[in-house]
Amino acid sequence: MKLKKQVTVCGAAIFCVAVFSLYLMLDRVQHDPTRHQNGGNFPRSQISVLQNRIEQLEQLLEENHEIISHIKDSVLELTANAEGPPAMLPYYTVNGSWVVPPEPRPSFFSISPQDCQFALGGRGQKPELQMLTVSEELPFDNVDGGVWRQGFDISYDPHDWDAEDLQVFVVPHSHNDPGWIKTFDKYYTEQTQHILNSMVSKLQEDPRRRFLWAEVSFFAKWWDNINVQKRAAVRRLVGNGQLEIATGGWVMPDEANSHYFALIDQLIEGHQWLERNLGATPRSGWAVDPFGYSSTMPYLLRRANLTSMLIQRVHYAIKKHFAATHSLEFMWRQTWDSDSSTDIFCHMMPFYSYDVPHTCGPDPKICCQFDFKRLPGGRINCPWKVPPRAITEANVAERAALLLDQYRKKSQLFRSNVLLVPLGDDFRYDKPQEWDAQFFNYQRLFDFFNSRPNLHVQAQFGTLSDYFDALYKRTGVEPGARPPGFPVLSGDFFSYADREDHYWTGYYTSRPFYKSLDRVLEAHLRGAEVLYSLAAAHARRSGLAGRYPLSDFTLLTEARRTLGLFQHHDAITGTAKEAVVVDYGVRLLRSLVNLKQVIIHAAHYLVLGDKETYHFDPEAPFLQVDDTRLSHDALPERTVIQLDSSPRFVVLFNPLEQERFSMVSLLVNSPRVRVLSEEGQPLAVQISAHWSSATEAVPDVYQVSVPVRLPALGLGVLQLQLGLDGHRTLPSSVRIYLHGRQLSVSRHEAFPLRVIDSGTSDFALSNRYMQVWFSGLTGLLKSIRRVDEEHEQQVDMQVLVYGTRTSKDKSGAYLFLPDGEAKPYVPKEPPVLRVTEGPFFSEVVAYYEHIHQAVRLYNLPGVEGLSLDISSLVDIRDYVNKELALHIHTDIDSQGAAPTVSEEAPPPGQLLPHASHGLYPGRTEAPHAAHCPGPGCL
């Protein structure tokens, strides 16, 4: 009421000042003694006097406007700092539940269907191949196909090429994993640097030779260690087309676990490196080893101006079907694309692998005889017991006929008479002898083919783009355009199986701790890049660049490359050896620590009102981060803010490009805490205990949760004070269900706590949008009902256990091979349930022996109030040969569509959601929080 009176009085003052000022101006004009009353006709000598009067009047109006503006500002300041109730002050209803009043401004906006391309479907040409439909129609019967075990016998008429020669491009390549059996550095030292060094010398020996490379991460490391002359030679090889860098990403990324942000980031990092150092722009994509393929990657490659791409690891039944229908080459289109703007031409390799025995044709026993690294006396041989033979004048006709038969059979699977034959494998060409063996013997075969027109074949070494260019030329279209008669496909190629029932789905959850750490690093990289850009730009513009640590850009570059490296298909997948995983983890943690320093430096600079006072001191940071990790394999430890007589300040940063209203949770050492906004307005907060186990609260540590609104790409400041505000410091209440277990329970006078020894009745949590029911026995979800709907949606959650087979093929980092149907998880003891209810959030945590399951419901307006936050912490180190799975059974009718999982950001200030061991974590692009360690440091 007091505030309303003040606003009314000030408003009246504004009106009075405005009226009185106008009256004075009119009065001065009317009583001007020089003013003539002659019917409005002024003598010429008086025009200048009138102009002066008009200018004076304009000046008076301007002064009056400034006066009114000052008064308005005063009123707004008075309103902002008034000791009135904040907009988000919760209250209890009659039935004892918390209610948060609606905000005066919307928290989210509706989207018109016309604004979304996904709603436009059906207007353009529909693809001939839709992968959901293809998968539903295939029998997946795994019939033995003979020499091409997963295919079929191929026949041809020798006269098929009389009208048009078969054009063969043999593409030498070496697939270098940036970490797998060995670490990145060990691979480079022992193999990769030798491959690249030999490449330069061997390609220069004959201009007909070609080579394909894909991993820029290795190439950049090698580039930094070679001399100027060798760099010039590499540029010449790239310039004349002998060396092609395909895809151009920092790595060949996994396409199932990686987030699109990281996929784009590693692609940009690689492309920029190539442009800066080689002046090269990739044209074709090469992905022979990812374990299945997402439809996101072709979209990104097309947007990066690539026109063609190649893939290899596709389910063998799909390969067989596509080979039989001549659909191994197609235009890959997004499912929502109505005008073919996302199309990219894609080549699918037809056989089992990308090694030499499975690339020349359908018979690996024959193709292996043309892998001249396996010549007798070498370290590897052919498993089919027929070794290669060096090509001589005496045997070239016989050997050429044998190889040409494979080429012709393979070409029968495609729609053009241009044939691609990769020639390589993992870490190939690491010794000069292999270069010589492959190039000399194949060149003798090519010379024989090309000198005999009756064979109707032209063969040569080529790059991937050489092949695509020849195909486009043969079919009469521009590069990247759809050749006549070639199909259009939409969808993806998951899940992958290379034989029998060996589905490569184990890697979806292998080493999930590092999958989660990947998302944490990604979120910090995004935040650090935005903050650094803002701070560095301001410092340069203000002439303070000498004070600001612009050297932090190096830390950003290192972190981008670390994140890119971890997108490798043996890194984020969790399929590398243990020592390699440790190496990845150390790199991730080092970059995470560096990014936190970048964030601290930038936030320090940007939050200061007087930038002249900025002083960079790495030994005495102005801010501290919200959490720390003691090692690469440790969970984060939250910083506890020590409250005393001096206020503490917390700086929050929103890295998203839209405003967000979200919950910030911080740890403090006292339940007596007041939180003020940046303008000094008291905020309502929820105080909760901080638990170390199901029943034990951490002494002298409390969680304070406060809803905050942060501007897009903006900073916010909260002030924490020691003290109690009974209207706004609102404690949580806790119920603990022991289910008959004899456990001691921590109690605290600040929090209402009720211990229930036994109870199996279901219970519910609710907010303004939904009511969520839980099992009183298990603590897991049972159903959800929207308050505006009568129907209750079943969402029955169970923990299941898969065993593993006793045969030699077992589940592991790559494969998921259970021993049968999943069985319910039966713990040795019933779970302890802890139910927390408060004004801004409520949660249920179920503590089992091997898994802690938490479901949180936010009592907030907007997006967070419309969703459930589900997190799991799993420890199955003593659960040998078992796999835990979280199963959710619903009565939602998806009408055959695949379910979607939303990757929402966690609450601000929480840089890591509960480390998810066994569940795939979403992207953690949360606002970053840091607190001021000393009194009055802002």
Side-chain angles (χ1 to χ4, degrees), residues 552-600:
D552 279 358
F553 185 80
T554 303
L555 301 180
L556 286 175
T557 301
E558 178 190 340
R560 277 197 301 273
R561 294 179 175 182
T562 298
L563 181 66
L565 183 69
F566 197 67
Q567 305 317 302
H568 163 52
H569 54 266
D570 283 309
I572 193 172
T573 55
T575 54
K577 293 293 186 180
E578 184 64 27
V580 182
V581 173
V582 171
D583 182 66
Y584 285 135
V586 170
R587 291 170 183 266
L588 291 171
L589 179 62
R590 182 174 63 241
S591 290
L592 182 60
V593 171
N594 289 340
L595 287 177
K596 289 185 176 184
Q597 295 306 309
V598 175
I599 290 172
I600 286 174

Side-chain angles (χ1 to χ4, degrees), residues 182-219:
K182 305 175 186 177
T183 65
F184 175 85
D185 288 333
K186 194 170 184 180
Y187 268 138
Y188 173 79
T189 302
E190 296 181 1
Q191 291 174 276
T192 305
Q193 65 170 334
H194 304 304
I195 297 170
L196 294 172
N197 285 330
S198 295
M199 173 197 72
V200 178
S201 59
K202 294 301 178 180
L203 290 184
Q204 291 185 97
E205 290 178 1
D206 189 337
R208 295 172 296 179
R209 295 178 178 180
R210 300 289 186 270
F211 194 66
L212 186 80
W213 189 264
E215 292 80 15
V216 176
S217 53
F218 272 132
F219 205 90

Side-chain angles (χ1 to χ4, degrees), residues 41-165:
N41 295 321
F42 292 87
R44 292 183 183 273
S45 60
Q46 297 300 319
I47 290 178
S48 60
V49 176
L50 178 59
Q51 290 174 337
N52 291 335
R53 292 292 179 265
I54 292 173
E55 291 172 359
Q56 290 176 9
L57 179 60
E58 290 175 346
Q59 184 177 355
L60 288 169
L61 285 169
E62 177 115 4
E63 293 172 357
N64 179 70
H65 178 71
E66 291 179 2
I67 292 171
I68 294 175
S69 296
H70 286 313
I71 295 175
K72 284 183 177 179
D73 292 341
S74 299
V75 172
L76 291 174
E77 184 177 355
L78 179 62
T79 303
N81 294 322
E83 286 288 338
M88 295 293 295
L89 186 60
Y91 60 88
Y92 260 125
T93 60
V94 177
N95 63 5
S97 61
W98 285 101
V99 174
V100 178
E103 280 202 298
R105 58 191 297 182
S107 298
F108 57 94
F109 301 93
S110 60
I111 298 176
S112 170
Q114 287 74 24
D115 294 336
C116 186
Q117 289 194 70
F118 296 97
L120 298 178
R123 297 198 325 196
Q125 176 189 354
K126 290 188 177 180
E128 292 90 339
L129 301 170
Q130 214 298 322
M131 289 312 301
L132 283 175
T133 304
V134 170
S135 297
E136 288 173 356
E137 294 177 350
L138 287 183
F140 293 94
D141 48 4
N142 195 26
V143 176
D144 191 334
V147 293
W148 178 18
R149 181 165 296 181
Q150 295 153 326
F152 47 85
D153 290 334
I154 304 172
S155 60
Y156 62 85
D157 185 334
H159 298 289
D160 286 345
W161 295 272
D162 288 352
E164 185 179 56
D165 287 355

Side-chain angles (χ1 to χ4, degrees), residues 463-482:
T463 63
L464 186 60
S465 291
D466 287 339
Y467 165 74
F468 284 126
D469 287 343
L471 186 148
Y472 293 134
K473 184 177 180 181
R474 281 279 182 103
T475 56
V477 298
E478 293 294 320
R482 179 185 179 184

Side-chain angles (χ1 to χ4, degrees), residues 238 244-245 247 271 274-275 278-284 304-306 465:
V238 171
E244 178 179 12
I245 310 294
T247 307
H271 281 208
L274 291 171
E275 174 64 28
L278 300 181
T281 302
R283 298 172 52 204
S284 303
N305 287 327
L306 276 71
S465 291

